[in-house]
Amino acid sequence: GEDAGTMMRTVRDTAGLRPDLVKIHLLHVLRDTPLARMYLDGGYRPLGRDEYVELASTALTLLPPDTVVCRLTGDGLKDSLLAPEWSKKKTAVIDAIDGYLYSHGLYQGCAFSPEGN
């Protein structure tokens, strides 16, 4: 039930803690899990690549500029990953985030507010 607004609220709350490092990770649908059943029954739709790229990029702008970002994506075990298929190409996802930031004139911390907004 989380949407982009609640995700960015979480990022702002986290940013307000001034963490040394963060990991940004998408949700994977893995075989033989309750989420897999929801996905196969049509009750869950994973983020599309473009959605994830925009969300991750926006999250980066909200983080303190001195927070180390240790991860921008992740991967499920190849033999158990049901979705999203695009997540198997981590380098392409990272390149897309970099391209999004560049094309929109954004960078980590450019929208950071110590007050947390």
Side-chain angles (χ1 to χ4, degrees):
E2 189 175 45
D3 62 15
T6 54
M7 287 180 204
M8 292 309 111
R9 179 79 253 158
T10 299
V11 173
R12 284 186 187 92
D13 290 346
T14 301
L17 299 172
R18 302 299 299 248
D20 292 328
L21 60 90
V22 297
K23 293 181 180 182
I24 299 173
H25 201 299
L26 65 142
L27 180 61
H28 293 106
V29 180
L30 302 177
R31 295 182 198 287
D32 302 321
T33 64
L35 185 59
R37 285 190 292 283
M38 286 176 60
Y39 171 71
L40 294 170
D41 291 341
Y44 172 73
R45 180 189 66 81
L47 291 173
R49 191 184 94 143
D50 291 344
E51 288 176 285
Y52 182 75
V53 165
E54 185 173 352
L55 286 167
S57 297
T58 301
L60 287 170
T61 70
L62 297 170
L63 292 172
D66 57 342
T67 294
V68 175
V69 179
C70 295
R71 178 172 294 162
L72 283 174
T73 186
D75 48 6
L77 297 173
K78 303 244 186 280
D79 57 342
S80 63
L81 180 69
L82 285 177
E85 280 289 318
W86 57 263
S87 69
K88 291 179 179 178
K89 299 180 178 174
K90 287 171 59 169
T91 304
V93 175
I94 292 168
D95 288 348
I97 292 168
D98 184 53
Y100 184 95
L101 291 168
Y102 180 79
S103 68
H104 289 85
L106 303 173
Y107 53 90
Q108 181 181 333
C110 70
F112 172 67
S113 171
E115 294 80 36
N117 289 334

